[in-house]
Amino acid sequence: MTNSIYAITMAALFTTIGFKSPEMEKPSTWNKNQVIAHRGAWKKKGLPENSIASLNEAIKLGCYGSEFDVHMTSDSVLVVNHDPDFLGLPIATSTYAQLLEKKLSNGEHIPTLEAYLKAGKKQKKTKLILELKPAKVSGERDLQMTRKAVAMVQQLGATAWVDYISFSYAIGEEVLALQPGAKVAYLNGDASLERLKASGFYGADYHFSVYKTGDWFTKSKALGLTLNAWTVNNAEEMNWLLDQDIEFITTNEPERLFELLKTRK
Ligand code: MG
């Protein structure tokens, strides 16, 4: 059999049995820019933060990533919301059914992580920046939530879409233990880049003021880590960070950051 006939035969066979290599499933089409929409892109269009609508708007804008926050209900459903309370209901001590009694301003129910990941997976350009929120109930509960979240990402085949972030170092380490090679950044501003590197983190994702002192930008590049800054909403700070060649900027104003990036070209 010649090589070409062999290739055609194998391609036909794989098509017939639905074979896909892991590489074929990994999109390499991610937007190449610094823009991460904080809780989705909600502000300009008056959408609720952390709604599927705000995720879709971030995708429409062409952001590198759309950030969102994950909590766990009392009956262990993972949901997307910023605060520990959803419209007055404490998530950690409410059931998912109780949360469904309230709606976001655009008519959406509180999104489940499953629904969020499925919505994000419909495209291959904007990454899903998944923040795991410690619940201040117990460290063990936080780790349970982490295990459930990573398992769900894997079950849905969404690992290539998801970068993880957390204010909890223990949560970040748990993600890395569950999924070696996962892209995990730490939010709390109190760990050195050397420590993050040694723990296997992808980078630091700190309040922008942290980067004003010290040699974060040269050191991160030397260590092969990324830097992300939150939450940067004005042009002056955006420009300063871009001047330092930062990898990512997390903002409530993704449209403003895109405009500014255009003027800098
Ligand atoms: Mg967040």
Side-chain angles (χ1 to χ4, degrees):
M1 198 186 298
T2 68
N3 281 346
S4 60
I5 293 172
Y6 176 79
I8 290 164
T9 308
M10 292 308 284
L13 180 63
F14 288 156
T15 305
T16 310
I17 62 176
F19 174 88
K20 272 186 186 173
S21 76
E23 279 310 307
M24 286 166 73
E25 287 183 339
K26 269 187 196 165
S28 55
T29 51
W30 307 116
N31 290 317
K32 289 178 180 61
N33 58 59
Q34 295 91 338
V35 186
I36 295 180
H38 182 232
R39 309 178 196 170
W42 48 272
K43 194 170 176 184
K44 193 168 183 191
K45 294 215 167 152
L47 300 168
E49 300 173 13
N50 275 317
S51 59
I52 302 267
S54 73
L55 166 64
N56 287 336
E57 182 65 16
I59 291 167
K60 202 168 122 193
L61 288 173
C63 297
Y64 164 79
S66 187
E67 188 263 359
F68 58 99
D69 307 284
V70 173
H71 298 260
M72 187 165 74
T73 64
S74 65
D75 52 346
S76 300
V77 177
L78 299 178
V79 292
V80 177
N81 192 64
H82 181 261
D83 294 337
D85 288 29
F86 177 65
L87 304 172
L89 297 171
I91 295 172
T93 53
S94 300
T95 62
Y96 176 57
Q98 286 172 320
L99 300 182
L100 289 180
E101 289 167 16
K102 306 241 180 183
K103 280 186 181 179
L104 294 167
S105 61
N106 67 343
E108 283 183 46
H109 287 293
I110 188 168
T112 59
L113 175 61
E114 184 176 355
Y116 224 82
L117 293 172
K118 284 180 175 169
K121 266 201 80 190
K122 289 180 184 166
Q123 52 81 51
K124 297 182 175 180
K125 289 180 176 290
T126 297
K127 285 237 179 182
L128 308 175
I129 315 298
L130 193 168
E131 179 175 350
L132 288 159
K133 287 276 191 184
K136 298 189 178 84
V137 178
S138 73
E140 182 47 38
R141 192 178 188 281
D142 291 342
L143 297 183
Q144 280 172 18
M145 172 188 69
T146 303
R147 292 192 275 267
K148 280 186 82 80
V150 172
M152 179 170 287
V153 168
Q154 291 175 344
Q155 280 158 17
L156 292 177
T159 52
W161 276 256
V162 174
D163 295 355
Y164 294 90
I165 55 175
S166 187
F167 278 95
S168 159
Y169 207 89
I171 286 177
E173 287 182 311
E174 183 71 6
V175 173
L176 287 163
L178 293 162
Q179 191 185 306
K183 290 182 175 174
V184 186
Y186 178 59
L187 291 166
N188 206 36
D190 58 354
S192 69
L193 290 173
E194 289 85 352
R195 185 179 172 212
L196 293 175
K197 179 72 179 178
S199 298
F201 282 81
Y202 179 59
D205 184 355
Y206 291 167
H207 187 267
F208 66 86
S209 63
V210 173
Y211 301 131
K212 296 283 174 144
T213 52
D215 54 352
W216 295 94
F217 297 94
T218 48
K219 195 180 276 182
S220 63
K221 289 198 169 37
L223 289 167
L225 295 173
T226 58
L227 293 182
N228 186 349
W230 55 268
T231 301
V232 184
N233 298 322
N234 76 65
E236 194 185 339
E237 293 297 348
M238 288 170 179
N239 267 321
W240 183 77
L241 291 162
L242 293 169
D243 288 345
Q244 314 307 313
D245 207 14
I246 196 165
E247 280 79 14
F248 306 111
I249 294 175
T250 301
T251 179
N252 293 335
E253 307 275 0
E255 298 89 349
R256 175 172 298 158
L257 182 49
F258 275 118
E259 281 302 312
L260 196 145
L261 285 168
K262 261 194 249 169
T263 66
R264 292 174 59 97
K265 271 184 183 164

